[in-house]
Amino acid sequence: MVIQVLLRDPRSGSETKYEFDQSPVRIGRNQLNNVVLDGNFVSGWHGTIRFDPTGTNYFDLGSTNGTCIDGKRLPKNTAILMSDIADNTRSDSTQT
């Protein structure tokens, strides 16, 4: 199983695409993460994406500044099913 992750920089609008075939995918400022994000708002170990044949989840690891998806803040230490995010984005024509 392979997942694709597309990250969009809100300041520049630039996009970076990643592909992963192993779970979990670690995200954060620390150089040991699979996806390293530079920014004061990103924790060293910010979140993880876990995937298997039953689904894909994003989990905020209790990061200092939290995680916002589609402009909504996720509660700390909460998992969100990624298909819920994709379905929400597709159904709202104002999303970019």
Side-chain angles (χ1 to χ4, degrees):
M1 178 175 187
V2 175
I3 66 162
Q4 295 181 350
V5 176
L6 178 66
L7 296 177
R8 183 176 298 125
D9 184 324
R11 294 167 293 189
S12 68
S14 66
E15 296 181 345
T16 305
K17 182 178 173 181
Y18 300 89
E19 288 189 1
F20 299 99
D21 61 1
Q22 292 184 334
S23 179
V25 176
R26 297 180 315 243
I27 301 170
R29 201 172 59 238
N30 189 297
Q31 294 296 313
L32 295 175
N33 284 296
N34 303 100
V35 177
V36 177
L37 301 176
D38 184 34
N40 294 333
F41 58 90
V42 179
S43 294
W45 303 98
H46 201 93
T48 61
I49 297 173
R50 295 184 182 274
F51 60 94
D52 61 35
T54 63
T56 303
N57 292 287
Y58 174 82
F59 187 79
D60 184 288
L61 295 173
S63 61
T64 302
N65 294 309
T67 299
C68 289
I69 297 179
D70 293 335
K72 296 177 183 151
R73 182 173 286 242
L74 294 180
K76 290 182 180 181
N77 299 310
T78 300
I80 184 168
L81 188 61
M82 297 299 285
S83 63
D84 292 344
I85 298 166
D87 290 345
N88 182 41
T89 302
R90 280 194 294 269
S91 66
D92 184 348
S93 61
T94 63
Q95 296 290 331
T96 57

